[in-house]
Amino acid sequence: MSTGTSPETAPATVSDGGQAGGQADGELRKGLRRRHMSLIALGGVIGAGLFVGSGVVIRATGPAAVLSFLAAGLLTVLIMRMLAEMTVARPALGSFYAHVRETLGHRAGFTVGWLYWYFFVIVVAVEAVAGGRIVRLWLPGVPLWAVSLALLALLTATNLVSARSFGEFEYWFSSVKVIAIVVFLFLGALYLTGLWPQAHGGLAHLTDSGGFAPEGVGAVLAAVVPCVGFFTGAEIVTIAAAESVEPERAVAAAIRSIVLRVVGFYVLSVLVVVAVVSWTSPAVEVSPYAAVLDRLDVPAAATVMNAVVLIAVLSCLNSALYTSSRMLFALTRNGDAPRGFTRLSRGGVPRRALLAGTSAGYLSVIAAWASPDVVFTFLINSYGAVALFVYLAIAVAQLRLRRKLEREEPQRLTLRMWLFPWLSRATVALMATVIGAMAFLPGSRAQFWLSLLTVGVVLAAYEVRRRRATGRTGGIGPGGRTG
């Protein structure tokens, strides 16, 4: 990997003054406001998984899917609290990548950073393909690959402008999602209380088709595994903190409110679904929210939900492009990625890092068109458990960094993990259990082993990097930079 430090690829820093230094200074521009940060955190949690994927969990679990989502949500809240403690105490470019590198070593940092980049590069392709399929419902004559590439190009152009441009798009995307869920909950409440026209009300559907947990407790616990995946994305706000005007306050405020979001938007909305429509209805698995709107006789229910899901998909695609570029940019700081990705545009955007992720996304979209059952399926499975591996590393890093901060900088612990160290240790154990369960559950076994293969490839890449650095300089220098 290149170790040069020409003016174009000088080490990038986060500016304290909030001004863009352009290409020469290599500084990220602090263009994200608190309102952007709050909605970025919210947008990261609310994805197409809630609007569509929740139906698969309901069909496999029954009404007790509410408990699966609640358990997964609480686990995610604990991970986010641990991450928030580290981010507020030690704001760093790359967020948890920097924290893992500091506490668990260079190899762990390299692995977590590249795994996270890979995860969101595949998300780019998945969301582009999903968005293309929705658009084709209205434009059936246009090829899927063409629509997917058009959506990818549109949001790439948006991200190339500035961080603030990304923030504005994500603000409005997330606002639409929030409004849609609030309206959905309101309509569901009217129906269940008998205030909706011709509604019988009541909660009979929670027990009238085999009971509350018709598939047993084992199914409820097994469903926690995919549910945890639905919550992935809340951590994006800590990465965006490097470009926020008020990083510590913005992250603290966003993470503190995530409890209400998890309960209100996931658990309550899934409760409305299983209370209004029988979990045995085939429509629930296809589109649970549309099934509820159909039961309420809302005009054009399918069209409305397709539009909302498209917004959710575009929001995830927008966030994935941003996140992958910033993580790759952060990796350059310690020589963990080629220095060429350090160069910024005049708007303070790491364009080369952004285009690298976009190019990988283009190739994946082409794979979805050329080989959907082999190559694209392999890509989907190879990233399925990656985010969970990253979450486990975050939890372990918090345990170590907290001890260090208590010894050296206790004044920086302004936001603390609850009941430390016992709850932190319990969180590590629970996350390890979820990951371990993936290896044995039939529905997630392939994702676990192929994701483990992805980890192996990244570890091998680290060894290549380490040996090349050792051969040139006799070792890896201070801060992890190759000499």
Side-chain angles (χ1 to χ4, degrees):
M1 297 185 182
S2 173
T3 58
T5 55
S6 65
E8 286 188 346
T9 58
T13 60
V14 180
S15 170
D16 294 330
Q19 301 298 319
Q23 296 179 50
D25 295 337
E27 295 177 348
L28 290 173
R29 176 176 293 180
K30 292 180 177 288
L32 297 176
R33 307 294 177 183
R34 287 187 68 180
R35 68 182 181 90
H36 295 137
M37 297 292 284
S38 296
L39 271 296
I40 287 171
L42 186 56
V45 177
I46 305 173
L50 172 61
F51 296 111
V52 180
S54 56
V56 177
V57 174
I58 292 171
R59 284 286 289 175
T61 311
V66 174
L67 300 181
S68 301
F69 276 97
L70 179 60
L74 292 177
L75 181 56
T76 304
V77 166
L78 294 175
I79 295 290
M80 290 305 105
R81 183 75 181 191
M82 298 171 83
L83 179 54
E85 178 186 280
M86 295 189 293
T87 303
V88 172
R90 289 273 185 88
L93 183 64
S95 182
F96 49 85
Y97 155 68
H99 302 138
V100 169
R101 195 173 192 279
E102 177 184 356
T103 57
L104 304 182
H106 298 172
R107 178 182 285 102
F110 179 96
T111 303
V112 163
W114 277 108
L115 284 178
Y116 198 70
W117 178 85
Y118 178 75
F119 176 85
F120 273 101
V121 163
I122 302 303
V123 168
V124 166
V126 170
E127 300 299 343
V129 171
R133 287 173 176 159
I134 297 172
V135 172
R136 287 189 74 242
L137 295 175
W138 300 306
L139 302 173
V142 182
L144 175 60
W145 65 267
V147 179
S148 298
L149 293 182
L151 293 177
L152 185 51
L154 173 64
L155 289 176
T156 298
T158 299
N159 275 265
L160 284 172
V161 176
S162 66
R164 181 155 190 171
S165 176
F166 154 76
E168 284 295 331
F169 269 77
E170 195 57 31
Y171 178 85
W172 292 109
F173 283 152
S174 297
S175 296
V176 171
K177 291 189 286 187
V178 171
I179 293 171
I181 293 178
V182 170
V183 171
F184 177 82
L185 292 175
F186 177 70
L187 295 180
L190 291 179
Y191 183 90
L192 295 174
T193 55
L195 298 178
W196 189 259
Q198 300 181 342
H200 299 294
L203 301 174
H205 280 313
L206 294 181
T207 56
D208 65 1
S209 296
F212 183 66
E215 302 298 330
V217 176
V220 176
L221 296 176
V224 173
V225 174
C227 287
V228 171
F230 291 156
F231 291 105
T232 302
E235 72 286 344
I236 292 174
V237 69
T238 64
I239 295 175
E243 294 171 270
S244 170
V245 176
E246 305 172 285
E248 293 90 348
R249 293 179 61 188
V251 169
I255 297 299
R256 283 192 182 105
S257 62
I258 196 174
V259 176
L260 296 177
R261 292 168 181 152
V262 168
V263 175
F265 294 150
Y266 268 88
V267 179
L268 288 182
S269 60
V270 171
L271 177 61
V272 166
V273 171
V274 296
V276 173
V277 184
S278 173
W279 70 276
T280 59
S281 171
V284 169
E285 186 171 8
V286 176
S287 181
Y289 288 71
V292 172
L293 296 182
D294 279 335
R295 176 60 58 87
L296 272 60
D297 292 323
V298 173
T303 301
V304 170
M305 282 313 305
N306 285 333
V308 172
V309 173
L310 178 60
I311 293 296
V313 165
L314 293 178
S315 173
C316 291
L317 177 55
N318 190 44
S319 296
L321 287 167
Y322 173 85
T323 306
S324 62
S325 65
R326 269 46 177 194
M327 183 55 71
L328 182 54
F329 178 76
L331 284 163
T332 65
R333 294 294 302 276
N334 300 297
D336 287 336
R339 298 296 250 175
F341 293 121
T342 308
R343 186 178 183 183
L344 301 179
S345 69
R346 294 187 182 276
V349 175
R351 287 187 173 178
R352 292 181 178 179
L354 177 62
L355 292 175
T358 303
S359 299
Y362 284 139
L363 293 175
S364 299
V365 169
I366 293 172
W369 166 70
S371 183
D373 297 326
V374 180
V375 177
F376 194 64
T377 299
F378 171 81
L379 292 175
I380 296 297
N381 286 328
S382 70
Y383 92 118
V386 162
L388 303 186
F389 293 150
V390 172
Y391 276 10
L392 180 60
I394 289 172
V396 175
Q398 186 269 339
L399 273 168
R400 295 197 177 184
L401 185 58
R402 172 66 175 267
R403 295 299 193 192
K404 182 177 182 180
L405 289 169
E406 287 178 336
R407 291 193 307 269
E408 301 174 2
E409 300 176 281
Q411 73 280 3
R412 299 199 64 86
L413 289 168
T414 56
L415 188 151
R416 296 170 180 257
M417 175 60 180
W418 307 297
L419 301 178
F420 181 86
W422 307 112
L423 194 52
S424 292
R425 291 172 180 169
T427 303
V428 171
L430 288 171
M431 184 56 66
T433 300
V434 169
I435 295 173
M438 292 189 71
F440 300 98
L441 295 173
S444 58
R445 190 178 298 134
Q447 292 187 359
F448 173 83
W449 291 109
L450 287 177
S451 295
L452 204 60
L453 175 62
T454 302
V455 174
V457 171
V458 174
L459 287 172
Y462 176 80
E463 287 303 312
V464 172
R465 167 196 178 276
R466 184 183 63 82
R467 292 181 182 182
R468 288 181 61 188
T470 302
R472 287 196 302 265
T473 66
I476 298 177
R481 291 185 175 82
T482 54

